[in-house]
Amino acid sequence: MIDKRSTSQEISSAHPGIAVIGIGAIEQHGRHLPVGTDWMIVDELSRRVAHELNALLIPAIPFSMSECHGALGGTVWLKPATLSAVLQDIASSLHAQGICNLLVLNCHGGNFILEPTIQALNNKYPDMLVVMASDLWPLFDSQGPIFEKPEVDLHAGEIETSIQLYLNSESVGADRVDCVPQVGREFLDYVTIDLLSPDGVWGSASKGDAQKGARTFIAQVMAVTSFARQAFARKS
């Protein structure tokens, strides 16, 4: 794997055929998780996937479209056009140096601008393939179902708490609030989450468990790696 610790000469000599970039978020995650949760998770996910693919690892973008979390402490967001422009510029700079396979890993569910941006990049650069893996964490592995209540888990609940307990247990607090608003996820397109859940949690944080986090994270690394290999093999 080639990353930010490599020199320019080392990167050029390695001729990486694939680059991997994660997109996280800096936003509230209830009382028990840090505001950098999405960024921390996608940073490790992209590192492991880049290692599997022997790819160039681009440092994960910390900010994205978090406006739905409103004024809750620590939340920082980008406008859709800004996030789109950042991804376009990164892809253009990679294309200029001959890296024509880019894997995007998104770890914030509200980044709706990414798909049309990726489509536009593929139209602009016919010799380049930009793809984005699913941002849905695996709910099953070889042992069976991983989570107890994934159907009501949207933010800072069982899934994210479990992953953070696996990756960064020291950053997970004990004050875990469970809250499942009695509306659909689409309401986050209309109002900020604090009007639906005062503590900013949508799910069952109390059910978070490190073993669950390990199972879904490892399954995700395998799934994303397989997806990328198949996608880029079709291009060649």
Side-chain angles (χ1 to χ4, degrees):
M1 182 182 69
I2 312 158
D3 62 12
K4 62 186 178 183
R5 294 166 294 186
S6 305
T7 66
S8 175
Q9 291 77 12
E10 288 170 340
I11 295 172
S12 297
S13 297
H15 300 293
I18 302 172
V20 176
I21 185 165
I23 300 177
I26 301 297
E27 60 190 25
Q28 70 79 27
H29 273 76
R31 302 178 185 180
H32 65 296
L33 294 179
V35 296
T37 289
D38 289 354
W39 185 26
M40 295 161 74
I41 291 174
V42 83
D43 183 65
E44 181 61 16
L45 178 63
S46 57
R47 187 189 69 80
R48 294 196 193 186
V49 170
H51 176 76
E52 293 293 328
L53 297 173
N54 194 28
L56 171 64
L57 176 61
I58 308 298
I61 299 172
F63 309 110
S64 59
M65 294 166 52
S66 299
E67 192 167 2
C68 60
H69 293 280
L72 291 172
T75 300
V76 178
W77 63 80
L78 300 180
K79 295 178 181 178
T82 305
L83 179 58
S84 176
V86 169
L87 182 57
Q88 291 181 64
D89 286 352
I90 290 172
S92 296
S93 66
L94 294 172
H95 182 267
Q97 56 193 282
I99 301 174
C100 292
N101 292 313
L102 175 60
L103 173 64
V104 178
L105 301 180
N106 176 39
C107 205
H108 174 59
N111 291 332
F112 65 81
I113 197 64
L114 293 178
E115 288 187 354
T117 300
I118 289 171
Q119 183 178 35
L121 283 167
N122 286 322
N123 288 332
K124 181 177 181 180
Y125 301 112
D127 61 334
M128 187 175 197
L129 181 60
V130 184
V131 295
M132 182 169 64
S134 170
D135 61 354
L136 300 177
W137 291 96
L139 304 181
F140 299 85
D141 63 4
S142 60
Q143 301 176 51
I146 299 174
F147 302 103
E148 294 181 43
K149 292 188 174 182
E151 69 279 359
V152 296
D153 195 280
L154 185 65
H155 184 75
E158 182 181 7
I159 296 175
E160 286 189 310
T161 302
S162 296
I163 295 171
Q164 277 288 53
L165 283 168
Y166 165 56
L167 295 177
N168 307 287
S169 59
E170 73 286 351
S171 71
V172 181
D175 192 3
R176 303 182 199 172
V177 174
D178 292 351
C179 179
V180 180
Q182 298 305 300
V183 295
R185 182 257 175 267
E186 69 276 6
F187 270 73
L188 286 181
D189 296 331
Y190 315 142
V191 299
T192 53
I193 196 171
D194 55 302
L195 299 178
L196 305 173
S197 170
D199 291 293
V201 172
W202 193 316
S204 302
S206 65
K207 296 186 179 299
D209 175 82
Q211 288 190 331
K212 297 177 186 176
R215 289 170 63 191
T216 194
F217 198 90
I218 292 169
Q220 182 75 321
V221 171
M222 295 173 60
V224 170
T225 301
S226 176
F227 162 80
R229 286 179 174 148
Q230 293 180 30
F232 297 135
R234 291 194 191 100
K235 170 176 175 283
S236 59

